Structures are given as C-alpha cells and as structure tokens.
Amino acid sequence: MTHNPPSSFNNMLLIAMFELRKFLFNTRGIIALLAFALVWGVLLLYPIQSASAMLLQPNVKDIIDGLFGVNTLNVLFEWPVAEMAVFWCFALYLFPMFSILIAADQFSSDKTRGTLRFLTIRTSRDSLLFGRFLGQILIQSLLILLTIIATVVLAISRDSQLLLPALSSGALVGLNLIIVILPYTAVMTLLSLYARTVRQAMVFATILWTVISIAIMILSSQASVLAQLQWVLPGAQLSNMLNTNGLYSLVYAPIPLLQTAAALLLGRIYMQRSSL
C-alpha cells in the first residue's frame, strides 16, 4: 500500500498550525503573550475606559470638532458602543506596530542557525513561505480576538444591553484589523528572508517605512498626481479608516490586500531564487 505525500496546501496548514502552537506553548511566546495582555489590560482599564466615558458626554463632540475640525472624527460618535469606538482608534495603529514586532522572526533565526535549508528539503519553499505567513496571521488574529472579547466585557460591565451591539461591532472591527495587519506581516516575511537577525529585520522595516514616506512626501510636493504613491506604503489608509463605522470600513480593504499580494509575490521570487 502506497502512501501519498502531503500536498503543498496541507504542508502549508501544518506549518501554520505549528507556528501557532509554538507561540502558545514556547517560553518566548508565553512571555510575549503575557506582555501583550499586560499592555492591553492597562490600555483597556485606563485610557480606553476613560475615553469611552468622555465620548458619552454631550459636549465632547463640540470640543473635538473645535480641536480637529468639523466632521474629522464625527463618525466615532455614531458607534453603538463607545468602548468599541475608542478601542478602534487605539487598535488601528497599535496592531500594525505589534505586527512588525511579532512577525520579524519568520526566517531570520533559521537562516542564522542554518536550519532554513534543511526545512526546504522536507517541504516546498512555497509551503514554508505561505505557511509561516499564515501562522503569523493566526497568532495575531488570536491576539485581536482576545482584545475584542476584553472590550466587549468592558462594555457590558457598563450596560448589559450592549452585548449584541458590542459583538456585532467587535466582529467588524476584528475583520478590519486582520485585513490591516496583512501587508505589515507580508512585508516582514520578505524582510526576514533577507535579514540575518530579528533586530536587522526590524531595522530594515524602520528604514523602509522612513525612506519611502520621505520619498513620497517629496514627490507629492512636486506634483499632486504623485501623491497617489502613498498607497504603496502599508498603513496609508489608516487615517481615512479612523473616521469610519461598520461595513463602510471595508471600503479600504482592497488597498492592504493588494499590498499583501505584492509583498508575498516579492518574497516568493526571492525565496525561489535564493540559495538560503
């Protein structure tokens, strides 16, 4: 009786689940999870809870309109759950930062130890590349889910009738956040293939975002049509997403999805052509 070898897709899923288990049960992963829980626990109990209470005050909208301009953040006051609206503002910018930190070591340590070449003998390079990427997305999706559950608990502790609105808002927030982190993770997949250490991958990320941002700013000042180059950089849509609510936030989903596809394509080309 012959045994068929696992398909590339099955290998990819196995690698992704291994990455998730390694994060949950590895000492370094547990420490990172505890640190993440501590940071978000402090954010939820102090700034998010305090800001959501302020958001419920009738005169706060006029103050914010005076500070940031009329209709700059007006949609935040239309959210059915104030806690989720404030969480949205924090998470939209913090999770991309967490994504860069968490996803920086997809391949760099294996390259340093010399185990990456061994891994490619046991599975295809595509399975390894996309499996590691998917594993990072699963890890970050779990973190997003935990923070959303904590925000829902915070909301219903104030008013138990907010359970269903909080769950529906949380589902849309979670979907949007997963889409937002996709290009950041994909870029770190590419950079970790090139870097030799985690620190080097993060330095490359800092240089990349800084140089591209400055270049786009200079080019857009020369010609307004070149301002559209901003959409090349992951996170360019975040300021526009801030003042959105519900399904309308998904209008910006094609931007990170295209950025993710481009970064993964570059990563695949590099991995196929590299000697590792």
Side-chain angles (χ1 to χ4, degrees):
M1 183 177 179
T2 59
H3 296 278
N4 294 326
S7 65
S8 296
F9 181 75
N10 288 335
N11 278 340
M12 182 188 73
L13 294 180
L14 288 172
I15 292 169
M17 294 307 298
F18 175 77
E19 291 296 311
L20 179 60
R21 288 195 299 270
K22 184 172 69 173
F23 178 80
L24 292 176
F25 301 108
N26 181 276
T27 302
R28 183 181 298 178
I30 293 173
I31 293 174
L33 187 60
L34 290 174
F36 178 87
L38 180 63
V39 169
W40 274 102
V42 172
L43 287 174
L44 286 168
L45 290 176
Y46 295 100
I48 291 180
Q49 187 176 40
S50 301
S52 59
M54 291 179 58
L55 208 62
L56 297 171
Q57 301 299 319
N59 61 332
V60 171
K61 186 178 185 302
D62 296 332
I63 297 174
I64 291 179
D65 286 344
L67 290 173
F68 300 102
V70 180
N71 298 331
T72 302
L73 296 172
N74 62 304
V75 176
L76 290 179
F77 295 89
E78 299 174 5
W79 282 66
V81 181
E83 287 81 359
M84 198 62 70
V86 179
F87 169 78
W88 169 252
C89 296
F90 278 87
L92 203 56
Y93 290 96
L94 289 180
F95 271 105
M97 296 172 58
F98 284 127
S99 181
I100 293 173
L101 293 173
I102 293 171
D105 192 23
Q106 294 180 61
F107 295 102
S108 53
S109 293
D110 285 328
K111 287 184 67 176
T112 302
R113 292 192 297 263
T115 56
L116 187 57
R117 185 174 298 178
F118 170 77
L119 291 172
T120 56
I121 297 174
R122 307 299 298 272
T123 187
S124 68
R125 297 191 178 199
D126 282 350
S127 296
L128 187 59
L129 176 72
F130 295 112
R132 288 275 176 92
F133 170 76
L134 179 59
Q136 295 300 319
I137 296 301
L138 290 177
I139 292 170
Q140 294 173 73
S141 298
L142 176 63
L143 298 179
I144 290 171
L145 176 62
L146 292 176
T147 53
I148 289 175
I149 291 174
T151 307
V152 171
V153 172
L154 183 65
I156 62 176
S157 67
R158 176 174 61 85
D159 186 350
S160 60
Q161 295 183 353
L162 293 175
L163 177 60
L164 290 180
L167 289 175
S168 59
S169 297
L172 285 171
V173 167
L175 178 59
N176 273 290
L177 289 177
I178 291 172
I179 294 173
V180 163
I181 65 171
L182 286 174
Y184 288 90
T185 308
V187 169
M188 295 313 297
T189 301
L190 174 60
L191 294 179
S192 66
L193 278 170
Y194 185 76
R196 288 288 177 182
T197 63
V198 178
R199 181 178 298 178
Q200 192 177 60
M202 295 179 65
V203 169
F204 286 160
T206 304
I207 294 173
L208 177 68
W209 259 273
T210 303
V211 170
I212 293 180
S213 298
I214 293 174
I216 291 173
M217 183 173 61
I218 294 173
L219 290 173
S220 60
S221 65
Q222 301 298 320
S224 58
V225 68
L226 295 177
Q228 301 305 316
L229 290 173
Q230 65 175 316
W231 302 114
V232 173
L233 193 66
Q237 81 284 4
L238 294 183
S239 59
N240 293 326
M241 292 181 68
L242 189 63
N243 194 38
T244 59
N245 185 9
L247 292 172
Y248 183 72
S249 303
L250 294 174
V251 170
Y252 298 96
I255 298 170
L257 292 177
L258 289 173
Q259 293 169 341
T260 303
L264 289 177
L265 177 61
L266 291 174
R268 184 180 185 275
I269 293 172
Y270 179 84
M271 195 163 191
Q272 293 295 334
R273 296 183 178 180
S274 174
S275 62
L276 301 180

